[in-house]
mmCIF file with all atom_site columns, all heavy atoms in Angstrom:
data_model
loop_
_atom_site.group_PDB
_atom_site.id
_atom_site.type_symbol
_atom_site.label_atom_id
_atom_site.label_alt_id
_atom_site.label_comp_id
_atom_site.label_asym_id
_atom_site.label_entity_id
_atom_site.label_seq_id
_atom_site.pdbx_PDB_ins_code
_atom_site.Cartn_x
_atom_site.Cartn_y
_atom_site.Cartn_z
_atom_site.occupancy
_atom_site.B_iso_or_equiv
_atom_site.pdbx_formal_charge
_atom_site.auth_seq_id
_atom_site.auth_comp_id
_atom_site.auth_asym_id
_atom_site.auth_atom_id
_atom_site.pdbx_PDB_model_num
ATOM 1   N N   . LEU A 1 14 ? -196.034 89.344 339.150 1.00 0.00 ? 134 LEU A N   1
ATOM 2   C CA  . LEU A 1 14 ? -195.088 88.237 339.104 1.00 0.00 ? 134 LEU A CA  1
ATOM 3   C C   . LEU A 1 14 ? -194.749 87.858 337.667 1.00 0.00 ? 134 LEU A C   1
ATOM 4   O O   . LEU A 1 14 ? -193.584 87.577 337.340 1.00 0.00 ? 134 LEU A O   1
ATOM 5   C CB  . LEU A 1 14 ? -195.654 87.028 339.848 1.00 0.00 ? 134 LEU A CB  1
ATOM 6   C CG  . LEU A 1 14 ? -195.722 87.150 341.379 1.00 0.00 ? 134 LEU A CG  1
ATOM 7   C CD1 . LEU A 1 14 ? -196.447 85.946 341.975 1.00 0.00 ? 134 LEU A CD1 1
ATOM 8   C CD2 . LEU A 1 14 ? -194.313 87.259 341.963 1.00 0.00 ? 134 LEU A CD2 1
ATOM 9   N N   . ARG A 1 15 ? -195.776 87.852 336.808 1.00 0.00 ? 135 ARG A N   1
ATOM 10  C CA  . ARG A 1 15 ? -195.516 87.507 335.404 1.00 0.00 ? 135 ARG A CA  1
ATOM 11  C C   . ARG A 1 15 ? -194.623 88.553 334.748 1.00 0.00 ? 135 ARG A C   1
ATOM 12  O O   . ARG A 1 15 ? -193.696 88.209 333.998 1.00 0.00 ? 135 ARG A O   1
ATOM 13  C CB  . ARG A 1 15 ? -196.845 87.381 334.646 1.00 0.00 ? 135 ARG A CB  1
ATOM 14  C CG  . ARG A 1 15 ? -197.614 86.089 334.936 1.00 0.00 ? 135 ARG A CG  1
ATOM 15  C CD  . ARG A 1 15 ? -198.744 85.905 333.941 1.00 0.00 ? 135 ARG A CD  1
ATOM 16  N NE  . ARG A 1 15 ? -199.787 86.899 334.136 1.00 0.00 ? 135 ARG A NE  1
ATOM 17  C CZ  . ARG A 1 15 ? -200.879 86.719 334.900 1.00 0.00 ? 135 ARG A CZ  1
ATOM 18  N NH1 . ARG A 1 15 ? -201.019 85.570 335.566 1.00 0.00 ? 135 ARG A NH1 1
ATOM 19  N NH2 . ARG A 1 15 ? -201.783 87.657 335.016 1.00 0.00 ? 135 ARG A NH2 1
ATOM 20  N N   . ALA A 1 16 ? -194.898 89.818 335.043 1.00 0.00 ? 136 ALA A N   1
ATOM 21  C CA  . ALA A 1 16 ? -194.062 90.883 334.472 1.00 0.00 ? 136 ALA A CA  1
ATOM 22  C C   . ALA A 1 16 ? -192.629 90.783 334.997 1.00 0.00 ? 136 ALA A C   1
ATOM 23  O O   . ALA A 1 16 ? -191.662 90.972 334.248 1.00 0.00 ? 136 ALA A O   1
ATOM 24  C CB  . ALA A 1 16 ? -194.652 92.249 334.809 1.00 0.00 ? 136 ALA A CB  1
ATOM 25  N N   . THR A 1 17 ? -192.495 90.446 336.284 1.00 0.00 ? 137 THR A N   1
ATOM 26  C CA  . THR A 1 17 ? -191.157 90.283 336.860 1.00 0.00 ? 137 THR A CA  1
ATOM 27  C C   . THR A 1 17 ? -190.425 89.116 336.221 1.00 0.00 ? 137 THR A C   1
ATOM 28  O O   . THR A 1 17 ? -189.217 89.196 335.945 1.00 0.00 ? 137 THR A O   1
ATOM 29  C CB  . THR A 1 17 ? -191.261 90.064 338.376 1.00 0.00 ? 137 THR A CB  1
ATOM 30  O OG1 . THR A 1 17 ? -191.912 91.200 338.981 1.00 0.00 ? 137 THR A OG1 1
ATOM 31  C CG2 . THR A 1 17 ? -189.879 89.889 338.993 1.00 0.00 ? 137 THR A CG2 1
ATOM 32  N N   . GLN A 1 18 ? -191.142 88.016 335.979 1.00 0.00 ? 138 GLN A N   1
ATOM 33  C CA  . GLN A 1 18 ? -190.524 86.859 335.345 1.00 0.00 ? 138 GLN A CA  1
ATOM 34  C C   . GLN A 1 18 ? -190.031 87.194 333.946 1.00 0.00 ? 138 GLN A C   1
ATOM 35  O O   . GLN A 1 18 ? -188.917 86.818 333.546 1.00 0.00 ? 138 GLN A O   1
ATOM 36  C CB  . GLN A 1 18 ? -191.531 85.703 335.279 1.00 0.00 ? 138 GLN A CB  1
ATOM 37  C CG  . GLN A 1 18 ? -190.976 84.429 334.663 1.00 0.00 ? 138 GLN A CG  1
ATOM 38  C CD  . GLN A 1 18 ? -189.813 83.866 335.453 1.00 0.00 ? 138 GLN A CD  1
ATOM 39  O OE1 . GLN A 1 18 ? -189.920 83.686 336.660 1.00 0.00 ? 138 GLN A OE1 1
ATOM 40  N NE2 . GLN A 1 18 ? -188.709 83.579 334.783 1.00 0.00 ? 138 GLN A NE2 1
ATOM 41  N N   . VAL A 1 19 ? -190.850 87.932 333.197 1.00 0.00 ? 139 VAL A N   1
ATOM 42  C CA  . VAL A 1 19 ? -190.422 88.354 331.857 1.00 0.00 ? 139 VAL A CA  1
ATOM 43  C C   . VAL A 1 19 ? -189.196 89.250 331.965 1.00 0.00 ? 139 VAL A C   1
ATOM 44  O O   . VAL A 1 19 ? -188.242 89.130 331.177 1.00 0.00 ? 139 VAL A O   1
ATOM 45  C CB  . VAL A 1 19 ? -191.568 89.077 331.125 1.00 0.00 ? 139 VAL A CB  1
ATOM 46  C CG1 . VAL A 1 19 ? -191.066 89.627 329.790 1.00 0.00 ? 139 VAL A CG1 1
ATOM 47  C CG2 . VAL A 1 19 ? -192.737 88.137 330.890 1.00 0.00 ? 139 VAL A CG2 1
ATOM 48  N N   . GLY A 1 20 ? -189.199 90.142 332.957 1.00 0.00 ? 140 GLY A N   1
ATOM 49  C CA  . GLY A 1 20 ? -188.061 91.030 333.141 1.00 0.00 ? 140 GLY A CA  1
ATOM 50  C C   . GLY A 1 20 ? -186.785 90.267 333.467 1.00 0.00 ? 140 GLY A C   1
ATOM 51  O O   . GLY A 1 20 ? -185.709 90.595 332.977 1.00 0.00 ? 140 GLY A O   1
ATOM 52  N N   . ILE A 1 21 ? -186.909 89.240 334.308 1.00 0.00 ? 141 ILE A N   1
ATOM 53  C CA  . ILE A 1 21 ? -185.745 88.409 334.649 1.00 0.00 ? 141 ILE A CA  1
ATOM 54  C C   . ILE A 1 21 ? -185.217 87.711 333.403 1.00 0.00 ? 141 ILE A C   1
ATOM 55  O O   . ILE A 1 21 ? -184.001 87.633 333.177 1.00 0.00 ? 141 ILE A O   1
ATOM 56  C CB  . ILE A 1 21 ? -186.122 87.380 335.736 1.00 0.00 ? 141 ILE A CB  1
ATOM 57  C CG1 . ILE A 1 21 ? -186.391 88.092 337.070 1.00 0.00 ? 141 ILE A CG1 1
ATOM 58  C CG2 . ILE A 1 21 ? -185.013 86.346 335.900 1.00 0.00 ? 141 ILE A CG2 1
ATOM 59  C CD1 . ILE A 1 21 ? -186.924 87.191 338.145 1.00 0.00 ? 141 ILE A CD1 1
ATOM 60  N N   . ASN A 1 22 ? -186.127 87.205 332.572 1.00 0.00 ? 142 ASN A N   1
ATOM 61  C CA  . ASN A 1 22 ? -185.711 86.541 331.330 1.00 0.00 ? 142 ASN A CA  1
ATOM 62  C C   . ASN A 1 22 ? -184.998 87.517 330.394 1.00 0.00 ? 142 ASN A C   1
ATOM 63  O O   . ASN A 1 22 ? -184.003 87.158 329.751 1.00 0.00 ? 142 ASN A O   1
ATOM 64  C CB  . ASN A 1 22 ? -186.927 85.931 330.627 1.00 0.00 ? 142 ASN A CB  1
ATOM 65  C CG  . ASN A 1 22 ? -187.507 84.755 331.373 1.00 0.00 ? 142 ASN A CG  1
ATOM 66  O OD1 . ASN A 1 22 ? -186.819 84.100 332.166 1.00 0.00 ? 142 ASN A OD1 1
ATOM 67  N ND2 . ASN A 1 22 ? -188.785 84.478 331.145 1.00 0.00 ? 142 ASN A ND2 1
ATOM 68  N N   . VAL A 1 23 ? -185.498 88.741 330.339 1.00 0.00 ? 143 VAL A N   1
ATOM 69  C CA  . VAL A 1 23 ? -184.871 89.751 329.479 1.00 0.00 ? 143 VAL A CA  1
ATOM 70  C C   . VAL A 1 23 ? -183.470 90.081 329.980 1.00 0.00 ? 143 VAL A C   1
ATOM 71  O O   . VAL A 1 23 ? -182.512 90.166 329.196 1.00 0.00 ? 143 VAL A O   1
ATOM 72  C CB  . VAL A 1 23 ? -185.745 91.018 329.421 1.00 0.00 ? 143 VAL A CB  1
ATOM 73  C CG1 . VAL A 1 23 ? -184.978 92.165 328.748 1.00 0.00 ? 143 VAL A CG1 1
ATOM 74  C CG2 . VAL A 1 23 ? -187.028 90.744 328.653 1.00 0.00 ? 143 VAL A CG2 1
ATOM 75  N N   . VAL A 1 24 ? -183.341 90.259 331.299 1.00 0.00 ? 144 VAL A N   1
ATOM 76  C CA  . VAL A 1 24 ? -182.022 90.555 331.872 1.00 0.00 ? 144 VAL A CA  1
ATOM 77  C C   . VAL A 1 24 ? -181.062 89.398 331.620 1.00 0.00 ? 144 VAL A C   1
ATOM 78  O O   . VAL A 1 24 ? -179.900 89.594 331.253 1.00 0.00 ? 144 VAL A O   1
ATOM 79  C CB  . VAL A 1 24 ? -182.141 90.845 333.375 1.00 0.00 ? 144 VAL A CB  1
ATOM 80  C CG1 . VAL A 1 24 ? -180.754 90.934 334.015 1.00 0.00 ? 144 VAL A CG1 1
ATOM 81  C CG2 . VAL A 1 24 ? -182.901 92.144 333.610 1.00 0.00 ? 144 VAL A CG2 1
ATOM 82  N N   . ALA A 1 25 ? -181.535 88.168 331.815 1.00 0.00 ? 145 ALA A N   1
ATOM 83  C CA  . ALA A 1 25 ? -180.696 86.994 331.591 1.00 0.00 ? 145 ALA A CA  1
ATOM 84  C C   . ALA A 1 25 ? -180.240 86.922 330.134 1.00 0.00 ? 145 ALA A C   1
ATOM 85  O O   . ALA A 1 25 ? -179.078 86.598 329.844 1.00 0.00 ? 145 ALA A O   1
ATOM 86  C CB  . ALA A 1 25 ? -181.441 85.730 331.974 1.00 0.00 ? 145 ALA A CB  1
ATOM 87  N N   . THR A 1 26 ? -181.151 87.240 329.224 1.00 0.00 ? 146 THR A N   1
ATOM 88  C CA  . THR A 1 26 ? -180.802 87.236 327.796 1.00 0.00 ? 146 THR A CA  1
ATOM 89  C C   . THR A 1 26 ? -179.777 88.321 327.488 1.00 0.00 ? 146 THR A C   1
ATOM 90  O O   . THR A 1 26 ? -178.835 88.106 326.714 1.00 0.00 ? 146 THR A O   1
ATOM 91  C CB  . THR A 1 26 ? -182.058 87.437 326.936 1.00 0.00 ? 146 THR A CB  1
ATOM 92  O OG1 . THR A 1 26 ? -183.000 86.392 327.221 1.00 0.00 ? 146 THR A OG1 1
ATOM 93  C CG2 . THR A 1 26 ? -181.718 87.395 325.459 1.00 0.00 ? 146 THR A CG2 1
ATOM 94  N N   . ASN A 1 27 ? -179.945 89.490 328.100 1.00 0.00 ? 147 ASN A N   1
ATOM 95  C CA  . ASN A 1 27 ? -178.985 90.579 327.895 1.00 0.00 ? 147 ASN A CA  1
ATOM 96  C C   . ASN A 1 27 ? -177.582 90.183 328.363 1.00 0.00 ? 147 ASN A C   1
ATOM 97  O O   . ASN A 1 27 ? -176.582 90.442 327.677 1.00 0.00 ? 147 ASN A O   1
ATOM 98  C CB  . ASN A 1 27 ? -179.432 91.832 328.645 1.00 0.00 ? 147 ASN A CB  1
ATOM 99  C CG  . ASN A 1 27 ? -180.616 92.526 327.976 1.00 0.00 ? 147 ASN A CG  1
ATOM 100 O OD1 . ASN A 1 27 ? -180.861 92.346 326.789 1.00 0.00 ? 147 ASN A OD1 1
ATOM 101 N ND2 . ASN A 1 27 ? -181.347 93.308 328.747 1.00 0.00 ? 147 ASN A ND2 1
ATOM 102 N N   . LEU A 1 41 ? -187.924 96.216 329.130 1.00 0.00 ? 161 LEU A N   1
ATOM 103 C CA  . LEU A 1 41 ? -189.368 96.008 329.153 1.00 0.00 ? 161 LEU A CA  1
ATOM 104 C C   . LEU A 1 41 ? -190.112 97.334 329.133 1.00 0.00 ? 161 LEU A C   1
ATOM 105 O O   . LEU A 1 41 ? -189.679 98.315 329.751 1.00 0.00 ? 161 LEU A O   1
ATOM 106 C CB  . LEU A 1 41 ? -189.786 95.241 330.411 1.00 0.00 ? 161 LEU A CB  1
ATOM 107 C CG  . LEU A 1 41 ? -189.475 93.750 330.491 1.00 0.00 ? 161 LEU A CG  1
ATOM 108 C CD1 . LEU A 1 41 ? -190.072 93.178 331.763 1.00 0.00 ? 161 LEU A CD1 1
ATOM 109 C CD2 . LEU A 1 41 ? -190.012 93.023 329.287 1.00 0.00 ? 161 LEU A CD2 1
#
Side-chain angles (χ1 to χ4, degrees):
L134 289 174
R135 284 192 291 267
T137 300
Q138 181 62 51
V139 175
I141 291 173
N142 291 337
V143 169
V144 171
T146 302
N147 286 338
L161 286 184

